[in-house]
Structure formats: structure tokens, C-alpha cells
Amino acid sequence: MCGIVGAVAQRDVAEILVEGLKRLEYRGYDSAGVAVVDAESNLTRIRRLGKVQELADAVESAEVIGGTGIAHTRWATHGEPSEINAHPHISGDITVVHNGIIENHEELRALLRQRGYVFESQTDTEVIAHLVEWELRSAASLIEALQNTAKQLEGAYGTVVMDRKDPSRLVVARSGSPIVIGIGVGEHFLASDQLALLSVTRRFMYLEEGDIAEITRRKVTVLNQAGEEVEREVIESSAEHDAGDKGQYRHFMQKEIYEQPTALINTMEGRITHDSVVTDAIGVHAKDILSRVEHVQIVACGTSYNAGMTARYWFEDIAGVSCDVEIASEFRYRKFVTRPNSLLITLSQSGETADTLAALRLAKEKGYMAAMTICNVAGSSLVRESDFAFMTRAGVEIGVASTKAFTTQLSALLMLVTALGKQQGRIDKARELEVVQALHALPKQIEQALSFEKEIEALAEDFADKHHTLFLGRGEFYPIAMEASLKLKEISYIHAEAYAAGELKHGPLALIDADMPVVVVAPSNDLLEKLKSNIEEVRARGGLLYVFADEDAGFEADETMKIITMPHVSDITAPIYYTIPMQLLSYYVALIKGTDVDQPRNLAKAVTVE
């Protein structure tokens, strides 16, 4: 969730560090700070509570000089949001920034106090600074001091250390929290996300779990968990330089909603022909693995969990393979039985979601046949640690409320389902063609759905004074209702719930009145008549309905029911299609409510701690 940027260069780096933090604002934070040391070992540290711009203004006023520095955006875990708790933290000549949580920080804090250290903050990070300072007293080098420190830390962390007396280098340790090194010419950089460094380099080296590295202007030295010097591949990034620019759009979320047709085309490129799914494009050894799968276990969090819930219907209906879906934070903390020949699938936009990553590592010990991830970030931990990965290619998503990551996950899952069914002979050529044609048509159909923007914007006015909303769906549209509910609560702060429409009479009908808008997803499918009965249950109790309905569904508007008529689309891809108006509704309700759409309160983009 927090952001790290570092640099070792001949030029002054303060502006580069702050610009990197600006590009990481989407991750969520409450304070920001920077520390820079010059060639004469003069250290300047500036920290500010609030937005990165507050820090940028302070850095500009101070005219910070120096070629080596580290910067950080903090999201409070230990200690309240405050300037004194903001990173970087200092102990003697040592300066530290840190992402993650040190679980044994209280025990280490007590030990360090016995050694005479005085703590200025409430953070677990200050423990690292004091430990490194202590270890450096007897260590031969800064990297050795960090190695010795890392052996004492329990938890997840990505940490960078700078020594005021030696401004020629930075050292960094990665354990459960991502770190990427940016390769320059006569200068090197590091960050928790490559997006932070795209203004200065496009060549990146990803640290592996347990790696400790030393970065100087001319060299990067990486030691693995065993302390052995290793080479890590340098990758040329194709990420867009302007991904952090809103362009013509008011918010990143709005931009990313409108990027979905292109994102879906990118997801499908090379994976489907005019009439088939290319199984080999799904991943190395995909054919062999998919041919042996008897059960699928999906593990995910938040929006990705809703994508998994939708895919469960596809796996069982289209591919004829049983599928379970579980929230990662529950999966990893319960005793479970691994079914024979079970494929574990993790879903994550960032590939660094802490609970999902921990679930993957646990599953590896529990006898799963293979582990696959569907992810948007190529160098992420989930991608590296899974047996094979299916990249969604959604492009950088900055808005905290996920949009294009969700729809690209769904399209990737649908291709996977089809490949699985084909590999096992459970779907014939005609069914495969039906899926492929539906996917090919989807980007244009979503462009058409986006044309309903003005109608939905007007509809959103009805929610201006509402505090609760109910979303209803049936079958595979129940998870779409769940996702719609999540989007509304995330960015508008309206309490929203989603129910399978058939559950209304089992409790939720008690909530229905004229102050509770009820939003219904109503495609024309086999469950339409059942859904219409559920709608009548709401109308009979004075509820106000907003029905997003297929043009063939036969609904008529009246004073109790507003109809948004949608063109007919394939039943197969309709769950993806109906997601779009739900995103637009949430977006425009949030605008009316005046909330921070891209950075909603209390939330962060990448949840890299429990």
C-alpha cells in the first residue's frame, strides 16, 4: 500500500523522488517524506502529513541538494497519521524507509531500549533503523548490517537503507513486499512499483523473495536468501509513460472505465483466433495441466473475488468442471481438504495482495496439482511464484476502485474456462465458436454501453440523498450485483448490499421502503421470469426500482420503476457487459456526493499487508 522511491545518481535527485511518489499516490497514503544526502554527507529530511504536493512544495522551498536519496508515502498501520510517524526514519547516521509490517516489533523495541535507543515514533519501521545502526557497529559493510538485521525481522517488508557517511550507495531488502530496481546510465533507482520510475528509465530488475541488494551509481549487486551473489534478469518495460495522466478525463476512474474496450482487445490479442481459443497462449504447459484438472479452487480478495464468483458459473456450466471460490483471508486461516487434481487459481490486479500471496504459498504445501495466477502486473510476486500466469494486459490502473482490471479478469477467465473445456473434450467446436464470437463482439458492445453515460448521470441524481442501496441479480449476475455494490460503497460511501434476488423473502424484504433504492441487473435469460417475480415483491412493498434490462426483457417503466434499456448481447458475455453501467452509476453518484473518487478514504490500491 505504501510507496517507496530511491535513487543513486550524480545529479540532484529530490525532484525525481517526489515525482516518483506522485506516480504512486494511487496506492493510498496519509503522509509523505524524503531524505537526501549530498557528497559531503549532509543529510536533509523533510516529512509532511497529507498529500505529496505538500511535500513537493516543501522540497522546492528548501532547495534540497544531493545525489542519493529515498522517499516514501505512508499508510498508517502502527501509529496514527502524523509527521513524526512519517518515513524516512533516522537512527544515528542511518535513514530507513519501509513497506509492510514487522510482526515482532514490540519484542525488538524492548531489546533496543535495553541497548539505550530512544524511540521518537510509534512505528514498527523505527525498529529497523535502530537495528541497522546497531549491526553496522560490528559489520564490515552496510549490506552486511542489513543482512544481519533481516535475520531478526518477522513479517513482510520491503526496506531501503541509506548511510549518511557513505552517500555512494543504498541497500535494500525484500521479504513479502515488492521492490523493483531501475537501471540507468551512471545512475540507478529503486521503487515499490515501476510506475514511479518511468520518467527516468524503462529497464527494470525485480528482486526475488529474500533478496538483499546494494545499489551504487554504476553497479547493482544482488544477494539471494542464502547470501549468494546472483543475477536477476533486466526487463525492458512496455508500460505507458502517460499512464499516470488523466488526459481529458476528470478522474482516473472515469478514464479507466473508458479504456475498457481497448483493454479487452489487449487481453484477447493472440489468445483467440476467429473461431477458437489458443490454449498454448494461456501459459507454459497449460495444455498438459488443463487436461488433468478435476477441480478448480479460486482464491482472491475484493473485486477479484467477485470475478472469481462469476467464473464459478462458467467453469461448471461451460467446462463442466467443479469450482470453489474463497476469500483469500479466510482460505489461508482455515483447515481445508485439497481435492485430487485440483488447480489453484489466484486472481489479483497488482499481484502483490498479501492474503492472496500467502494463500498461494500455503496451497503449495497442500498438494495442489498446479498454481495459476490471473494478474495484471508482469513482474509481481504472484506471477513469479505461480506455476504459470495468464496476464490480463489491462494497463496501469490507478483508481483505487477497480474497473478495467475486473472486466479483463472476467474475459481472461472466460478464455481459460473455454480452453479447459476444450482440452478435456467437454465442449464441442460449435460451443467454442459461440464463446469466441461473443468475446470478439464485446469491445464494440462495451463502447455502446458507455454511450449510456448521460442517461446514467441523470439517474444518479436520485441517489443524492440516499444512505442505503440494494443490488439484485440472479445466477452469474449475482456476483455482478456484488461488484456493483462494492463499487458504490467504495467511492460514494453509501452503504450498499447485494443479494441473490431469490433471497429477498428470506430477510432483505424487511429493508424495503421508498428510501431504499433497489438496483436490478436484468438480462433476458432463463431466469428472467423468476427475476420479474422478485421485482414484484419489491414493488408490492413500496420500493423504488432501477432496472438495467435487456431490450427483449419486456419491462415497462412507471412511477415505481425506472428502466434503463440495454441492447441484447450474448448470454455468455452479458455479465461483463452489464458491469459497465454499474461502474458508471457508482462514478456519477460519487461525483454528486463530492467524494474523492480516485482515492477514497481509508482504502489503498494494493493491499500488501494483512
Side-chain angles (χ1 to χ4, degrees):
M1 285 183 282
C2 309
I4 287 175
V5 188
V8 184
Q10 283 186 306
R11 51 178 164 166
D12 292 332
V13 297
E15 290 184 6
I16 294 171
L17 298 175
V18 172
E19 173 60 26
L21 293 185
K22 287 181 178 179
R23 289 169 173 259
L24 298 182
E25 284 189 287
Y26 73 95
R27 296 170 70 93
Y29 67 100
D30 50 59
S31 57
V34 63
V36 173
V37 62
D38 65 19
E40 284 71 46
S41 296
N42 298 307
L43 177 72
T44 303
R45 177 179 63 166
I46 301 174
R47 298 179 291 178
R48 289 293 183 270
L49 186 65
K51 297 294 186 181
V52 171
Q53 189 57 49
E54 298 287 330
L55 177 67
D57 293 342
V59 167
E60 184 177 1
S61 298
E63 297 183 358
V64 179
I65 304 299
T68 301
I70 50 180
H72 189 269
T73 49
R74 176 180 186 258
W75 194 77
T77 54
H78 296 84
E80 64 184 6
S82 67
E83 195 167 298
I84 201 166
N85 284 331
H87 299 210
H89 290 284
I90 293 175
S91 177
D93 294 319
I94 297 301
T95 305
V96 169
V97 293
H98 159 239
N99 285 353
I101 292 177
I102 304 303
E103 294 179 354
N104 62 334
H105 73 100
E106 291 184 356
E107 173 188 339
L108 293 172
R109 186 182 291 259
L111 173 65
L112 289 162
R113 280 179 172 148
Q114 290 176 6
R115 292 173 176 172
Y117 287 95
V118 176
F119 285 81
E120 296 182 353
S121 75
Q122 302 164 298
T123 69
D124 54 338
T125 302
E126 194 175 356
V127 164
I128 302 175
H130 292 319
L131 277 175
V132 173
E133 200 279 339
W134 174 267
E135 293 295 337
L136 189 57
R137 297 179 184 186
S138 57
S141 64
L142 186 60
I143 195 169
E144 182 182 321
L146 183 56
Q147 284 179 299
N148 294 339
T149 297
K151 294 173 184 176
Q152 302 171 62
L153 302 178
E154 297 175 8
Y157 55 86
T159 190
V160 185
V161 180
M162 182 171 68
D163 182 357
R164 180 179 62 83
K165 289 184 176 178
D166 184 5
S168 64
R169 71 194 71 245
L170 296 174
V171 295
V172 54
R174 182 263 160 99
S175 178
S177 191
I179 294 289
V180 59
I181 296 172
I183 307 300
V185 178
E187 57 186 10
H188 289 111
F189 308 90
L190 58 85
S192 50
D193 187 321
Q194 69 169 23
L195 180 62
L197 303 177
L198 287 176
S199 64
V200 289
T201 185
R202 299 183 67 83
R203 300 176 67 231
F204 297 100
M205 176 191 295
Y206 293 89
L207 295 187
E208 300 284 344
E209 185 71 7
D211 281 354
I212 292 179
E214 179 183 81
I215 298 100
T216 67
R217 286 198 302 109
R218 301 195 179 279
K219 187 178 181 182
V220 176
T221 303
V222 181
L223 307 179
N224 65 15
Q225 203 158 10
E228 303 161 335
E229 187 169 339
V230 292
E231 296 290 331
R232 298 295 182 214
E233 183 182 4
V234 176
I235 298 170
E236 189 83 18
S237 174
S238 60
E240 303 166 15
H241 271 286
D242 63 351
D245 182 4
K246 289 192 285 285
Q248 63 179 323
Y249 298 99
R250 186 169 177 180
H251 295 94
F252 284 113
M253 182 180 179
Q254 184 187 29
K255 174 176 178 275
E256 287 151 10
I257 289 172
Y258 274 83
E259 287 174 341
Q260 286 174 111
T262 300
L264 287 166
I265 290 170
N266 291 338
T267 304
M268 292 183 278
E269 183 181 0
R271 277 109 179 232
I272 56 175
T273 67
H274 70 283
D275 63 354
S276 65
V277 173
V278 182
T279 305
D280 286 337
I282 289 175
V284 179
H285 309 306
K287 281 185 176 179
D288 175 59
I289 292 170
L290 294 181
S291 66
R292 295 183 285 120
V293 171
E294 296 179 22
H295 174 72
V296 172
Q297 172 68 62
I298 297 176
V299 179
C301 300
T303 285
S304 295
Y305 171 75
N306 295 336
M309 288 289 288
T310 307
R312 181 180 64 173
Y313 291 89
W314 292 335
F315 274 109
E316 301 196 346
D317 178 33
I318 298 174
V321 174
S322 63
C323 177
D324 291 322
V325 187
E326 191 155 1
I327 298 168
S329 57
E330 293 296 317
F331 178 83
R332 62 181 291 203
Y333 287 119
R334 73 170 180 87
K335 293 181 180 179
F336 57 85
V337 176
T338 305
R339 298 199 198 183
N341 293 319
S342 186
L343 171 66
L344 180 85
I345 299 176
T346 56
L347 303 177
S348 172
Q349 191 285 135
S350 68
E352 303 293 349
T353 309
D355 283 316
T356 308
L357 188 56
L360 167 64
R361 292 168 179 167
L362 174 64
K364 286 185 173 183
E365 303 171 2
K366 298 294 185 178
Y368 278 88
M369 184 186 74
M372 173 188 186
T373 190
I374 294 177
C375 183
N376 190 38
V377 180
S380 63
S381 299
L382 278 174
V383 170
R384 294 198 305 272
E385 296 186 28
S386 297
D387 295 310
F388 64 114
F390 194 19
M391 306 310 302
T392 57
R393 306 171 182 166
V396 174
E397 187 179 71
I398 290 177
V400 167
S402 186
T403 51
K404 62 179 180 176
F406 178 70
T407 51
T408 55
Q409 281 179 348
L410 288 177
S411 64
L413 283 160
L414 184 52
M415 286 185 281
L416 173 64
V417 165
T418 308
L420 175 58
K422 181 171 72 169
Q423 201 63 29
Q424 298 198 357
R426 296 176 184 267
I427 67 172
D428 58 20
K429 190 64 181 176
R431 182 62 162 163
E432 181 183 11
L433 178 61
E434 186 182 3
V435 174
V436 170
Q437 288 178 336
L439 283 167
H440 277 305
L442 189 58
K444 286 291 185 184
Q445 290 168 342
I446 286 180
E447 285 182 3
Q448 189 176 19
L450 290 168
S451 70
F452 287 87
E453 179 183 30
K454 292 301 179 184
E455 185 177 349
I456 294 171
E457 183 179 6
L459 194 73
E461 296 286 347
D462 291 1
F463 292 74
D465 61 346
K466 304 303 182 188
H467 300 286
H468 310 277
T469 301
L470 196 64
F471 289 85
L472 302 178
R474 295 200 73 135
E476 61 267 47
F477 293 90
Y478 168 43
I480 300 306
M482 293 167 58
E483 174 62 12
S485 167
L486 178 61
K487 284 295 152 285
L488 188 67
K489 70 183 73 168
E490 279 181 316
I491 64 171
S492 73
Y493 314 149
I494 292 176
H495 169 242
E497 291 192 61
Y499 278 91
E503 281 292 292
L504 275 173
K505 61 177 65 69
H506 297 284
L509 277 176
L511 299 171
I512 301 300
D513 60 24
D515 292 323
M516 170 78 84
V518 180
V519 181
V520 185
V521 185
S524 182
N525 60 16
D526 293 343
L527 292 173
L528 178 60
E529 293 308 313
K530 296 287 186 184
L531 184 63
K532 286 182 176 180
S533 297
N534 303 137
I535 289 171
E536 289 305 316
E537 291 172 342
V538 173
R539 295 178 75 180
R541 289 156 180 83
L544 182 60
L545 286 145
Y546 299 84
V547 183
F548 290 80
D550 187 294
E551 62 187 1
D552 298 333
F555 286 99
E556 292 185 10
D558 59 26
E559 66 277 2
T560 66
M561 184 164 65
K562 295 189 177 183
I563 307 298
I564 301 86
T565 303
M566 311 295 293
H568 180 73
V569 298
S570 168
D571 288 349
I572 298 168
T573 51
I576 308 174
Y577 177 78
Y578 276 85
T579 297
I580 307 307
M582 298 296 104
Q583 294 171 349
L584 289 171
L585 178 63
S586 297
Y587 174 73
Y588 281 107
V589 172
L591 285 188
I592 292 166
K593 289 285 189 179
T595 61
D596 189 340
V597 173
D598 287 331
Q599 298 176 44
R601 67 189 184 196
N602 303 331
L603 298 179
K605 183 63 177 174
V607 185
T608 55
V609 297
E610 285 190 63

